[in-house]
Amino acid sequence: MEPMDCLVIYVPTDAAPAVRRAISDAGAGRFGNYSHCSFSTEGTGRFTPLPGAAPAIGAVGTPEEVAETRIEAIYPRSLRTAVVGAAVEAHPYETPAFMTFPIDISLPPNPREKAAD
């Protein structure tokens, strides 16, 4: 099985559907016989744009709070460049907050199969 990673990205809630679609179309969220799988949680993002920033929301030097959605989706490690690139391109922020990390999606042995032996 190919190594898998997970993408976690924070997106203004109104932009979440576009980001979910972009990462899924790039290959994230495929699991077994399913595609476009992801998990989302609503929350509040906080940031203060610094001098030199070109914020999509807010103003330089002013603290901002935005309704955001945390999107999580798995993807084959070989698709990292495509998935992260699609996320960044679809994201409205100048500097999107995201992280990726390796995951293990292997299933443990089925105890019922062992009992049948």
Side-chain angles (χ1 to χ4, degrees):
M1 174 183 282
E2 181 173 0
M4 300 291 283
D5 287 350
C6 181
L7 168 70
V8 174
I9 188 163
Y10 302 91
V11 184
T13 299
D14 62 347
V19 172
R20 270 193 293 272
R21 186 172 38 261
I23 65 173
S24 294
D25 289 350
R30 292 192 181 139
F31 195 71
N33 293 324
Y34 297 86
S35 70
H36 295 75
C37 301
S38 67
F39 181 81
S40 298
T41 306
E42 306 305 315
T44 302
R46 293 171 183 82
F47 54 88
T48 301
L50 298 174
I57 299 172
V60 171
T62 304
E64 189 66 50
E65 290 191 2
V66 178
E68 290 186 338
T69 300
R70 173 185 166 131
I71 300 170
E72 301 177 39
I74 64 169
Y75 61 93
R77 187 165 299 148
S78 63
L79 295 179
R80 183 186 191 283
T81 299
V83 169
V84 172
V88 170
E89 183 152 336
H91 202 292
Y93 288 173
E94 176 181 27
T95 307
F98 73 94
M99 63 185 127
T100 65
F101 50 89
I103 58 169
D104 179 359
I105 64 166
S106 61
L107 296 173
N110 185 333
R112 286 177 258 187
E113 288 177 6
K114 197 174 209 179
D117 291 341

